[in-house]
Amino acid sequence: MAAGPFVGRRAQLRDDLERRILAAAEETFAMNGFGGSSVAVIAAAAGISKQNLLYYYPNKIDLYRTVLDDVLEDWLGCMIDFAATSSRPEEAISRYIEAKLEFSRRRPQGSRVFALEIIGGARNYGNELKSKIVPALRADIATLERLLGSRDDDRINAEHLFFIIWASTQSYADFSAQMELILDRKPLAAQDFEAARSTLTRLVLNSLGLPSPMTGARVETRSAPEGD
Amino acid sequence: MAAGPFVGRRAQLRDDLERRILAAAEETFAMNGFGGSSVAVIAAAAGISKQNLLYYYPNKIDLYRTVLDDVLEDWLGCMIDFAATSSRPEEAISRYIEAKLEFSRRRPQGSRVFALEIIGGARNYGNELKSKIVPALRADIATLERLLGSRDDDRINAEHLFFIIWASTQSYADFSAQMELILDRKPLAAQDFEAARSTLTRLVLNSLGLPSPMTGARVETRSAPEGD
DNA sequence: GTCTATAAGCGGATAGAC
DNA sequence: GTCTATCCGCTTATAGAC
């Protein structure tokens, strides 16, 4: 239902309210899980009555799935760049990590709702997981494999390298409560995400024998394998 | 309450039942979260009545905290080795990753209960998180920092390197549902954990300029920076 | 669309018999 | 320790007035 140029005022108001409800639901589900969130609390957070919420979303599970859909759409939009990129490997990987971390920074609650669903076995979102998320991840893994080149012998396992990238970037949203305690800073600041980006990028590129794209080819601990 | 040599039959039975309840609770909480788990369902999984469960654990939140305590004790037991180790850096780090992955493999449900609690902001376990878990992680980070040596210049950030290790190893428990779909194998097999260990260990050691401990000093992609 | 009212059931927790 | 019986608040969801 994309908004055309002639959206009426009513439709606009309705759209605004739906967004407010979804935002409230995303936050509540992230903090309390599906079972721990009541429709009444979500409605209160959205500034409307429980009955009114149920007018827009006929039941709790539909609301929950809509939240997941909304987050998924956002996430997929951020992630398509990787498979389509024709940049140099080090730049493609670097940008991918950056985009994934940026998503964690920009939408941590959405990331958490997803994490909760996966941890619980994806029983409410299994079809979408199989039909959309897994293919996207597989495409990313295939891209990564292509970027790694054809040295089959002692090559880094692309699937597990991808799992590491994915787990690491995601954790800056999902486990931020723990990181905040360790870094003694709440919430996490821009410098923390920058340090995360820098550390993870360096780790991955270094393990692949690729130069660091930002600081040029200079890698302090070693010399580059070939002239660039 | 360590069991002495003269534990009565009754005490033994009670202990057995408590363990059965805790196991059922761990599994139920892991799959459904705190709010999504009912005492009745946990009791049924343990093979007793709801009222009987409430005789052993007076309320739901106590049961939940006991599960977390039980998992934490197990986890702490696995993790002390790192800080105490005096092995060579590459061996210490290698063993740490191995132990953390082994915990994910052996007790995935416990790992998930913890993850759910942290994602929800650790509102039910904040004190223990601050007093036990965070200090343990800080000690591990300090150990890692020591192992990294004193090159302050362009050194890998120990905190974030640790976050990466921690997130990656934990994800093989928490997000196994997704990995199972990608790897097309349910549940994950020993070979998957071995591939995870190998990939992550190699990634971390390589980024630190350390030789791989298992395959000797041979690292396919580069030559060692200095003779060992 | 938003309200009041209410249905129908599940939730955690307690009382007291045995 | 385990059982039956029960309380009562909160839950999702619906009906119908305005």
Side-chain angles (χ1 to χ4, degrees):
Chain A
M1 219 65 77
F6 283 101
V7 180
R9 221 183 303 174
R10 303 190 71 83
Q12 180 62 41
L13 285 175
R14 177 177 180 119
D15 203 56
D16 284 354
L17 186 47
E18 280 181 353
R19 296 211 161 275
R20 245 172 53 219
I21 294 171
L22 284 181
E26 186 173 318
E27 176 134 355
T28 307
F29 284 137
M31 294 198 300
N32 305 102
F34 178 78
S37 303
S38 75
V39 175
V41 166
I42 296 172
I48 60 174
S49 71
K50 174 178 72 165
Q51 294 87 339
N52 202 4
L53 189 153
L54 287 168
Y55 170 77
Y56 287 94
Y57 297 92
N59 55 57
K60 186 180 165 181
I61 190 73
D62 271 23
L63 173 59
Y64 178 69
R65 291 216 187 91
T66 307
V67 168
L68 286 173
D69 285 341
D70 195 51
V71 177
L72 177 58
E73 190 187 11
D74 189 357
W75 184 76
L76 287 174
C78 292
M79 291 300 111
I80 32 174
D81 304 320
F82 189 41
T85 187
S86 59
S87 314
R88 290 172 303 156
E90 59 268 25
E91 242 187 65
I93 292 172
S94 185
R95 279 188 194 153
Y96 185 84
I97 290 172
E98 207 168 344
K100 192 95 182 56
L101 269 175
E102 175 58 17
F103 185 81
S104 288
R105 195 197 61 75
R106 184 170 56 78
R107 205 160 181 180
Q109 304 290 38
S111 180
R112 283 177 200 135
V113 177
F114 249 99
L116 294 178
E117 176 62 20
I118 307 275
I119 292 174
R123 300 198 299 286
N124 291 303
Y125 211 64
N127 289 340
E128 286 79 2
L129 186 72
K130 279 176 200 146
S131 67
K132 293 183 182 173
I133 302 178
V134 166
L137 297 184
R138 262 204 245 272
D140 286 346
I141 291 171
T143 303
L144 187 58
E145 214 148 33
R146 182 168 57 77
L147 293 175
L148 297 196
S150 53
R151 290 164 298 147
D152 291 64
D153 187 20
D154 195 28
R155 206 180 55 183
I156 288 271
N157 183 313
E159 280 164 339
H160 289 273
L161 174 59
F162 187 78
F163 289 164
I164 290 169
I165 295 174
W166 188 70
S168 300
T169 52
Q170 180 131 357
S171 73
Y172 284 88
D174 303 345
F175 300 128
S176 64
Q178 197 170 49
M179 292 178 180
E180 283 162 3
L181 285 175
I182 288 175
L183 297 175
D184 203 22
R185 183 162 41 245
K186 182 176 174 176
L188 296 183
Q191 59 183 303
D192 300 313
F193 283 91
E194 168 53 24
R197 185 202 63 72
S198 163
T199 304
L200 181 59
T201 303
R202 189 166 148 182
L203 202 74
V204 172
L205 292 185
N206 206 0
S207 80
L208 299 175
L210 294 171
S212 197
M214 299 308 171
T215 62
R218 198 179 64 93
V219 174
E220 190 65 50
T221 51
R222 291 163 181 271
S223 58
E226 296 170 10
D228 188 39
Chain B
M1 219 66 78
F6 282 102
V7 181
R9 221 183 304 173
R10 304 190 73 81
Q12 179 63 42
L13 285 175
R14 178 178 179 117
D15 203 58
D16 283 353
L17 186 46
E18 282 181 351
R19 295 210 160 275
R20 244 173 52 219
I21 294 171
L22 284 181
E26 186 174 318
E27 176 134 354
T28 307
F29 284 136
M31 294 198 301
N32 305 101
F34 179 78
S37 302
S38 76
V39 176
V41 166
I42 296 171
I48 60 174
S49 70
K50 173 176 75 164
Q51 296 87 339
N52 202 4
L53 188 153
L54 287 169
Y55 170 78
Y56 288 94
Y57 298 92
N59 53 57
K60 186 181 168 183
I61 189 73
D62 272 23
L63 173 60
Y64 178 68
R65 291 215 187 90
T66 307
V67 168
L68 286 173
D69 284 341
D70 196 51
V71 177
L72 176 59
E73 190 187 12
D74 189 357
W75 184 76
L76 287 174
C78 293
M79 291 300 112
I80 33 175
D81 304 320
F82 189 40
T85 187
S86 59
S87 314
R88 291 171 303 155
E90 60 268 26
E91 242 186 67
I93 292 172
S94 184
R95 279 188 194 153
Y96 184 83
I97 291 172
E98 206 167 346
K100 192 94 184 56
L101 269 175
E102 175 58 17
F103 185 82
S104 287
R105 195 197 60 77
R106 184 169 56 79
R107 204 158 180 180
Q109 305 290 37
S111 180
R112 284 176 201 137
V113 178
F114 249 99
L116 294 178
E117 176 62 19
I118 307 276
I119 292 173
R123 298 197 303 284
N124 291 304
Y125 212 62
N127 289 339
E128 287 78 3
L129 186 71
K130 280 176 200 147
S131 66
K132 294 182 181 173
I133 302 177
V134 167
L137 297 184
R138 263 204 242 273
D140 286 347
I141 291 172
T143 303
L144 189 57
E145 214 148 33
R146 181 169 58 76
L147 292 175
L148 297 196
S150 51
R151 289 166 298 146
D152 290 62
D153 187 21
D154 194 29
R155 207 177 56 183
I156 286 271
N157 184 313
E159 281 164 339
H160 289 273
L161 174 58
F162 187 78
F163 289 163
I164 291 169
I165 294 174
W166 189 70
S168 299
T169 52
Q170 180 130 356
S171 73
Y172 285 87
D174 303 345
F175 300 127
S176 63
Q178 197 170 47
M179 292 178 180
E180 284 162 3
L181 285 175
I182 288 174
L183 297 174
D184 203 21
R185 183 161 41 244
K186 182 176 175 176
L188 297 183
Q191 59 182 303
D192 300 313
F193 283 91
E194 168 54 24
R197 185 202 62 72
S198 164
T199 304
L200 181 58
T201 304
R202 190 166 147 183
L203 201 73
V204 172
L205 293 185
N206 206 1
S207 79
L208 299 175
L210 294 170
S212 197
M214 299 307 171
T215 63
R218 197 178 65 92
V219 175
E220 192 65 49
T221 51
R222 292 164 181 270
S223 56
E226 297 170 8
D228 188 42

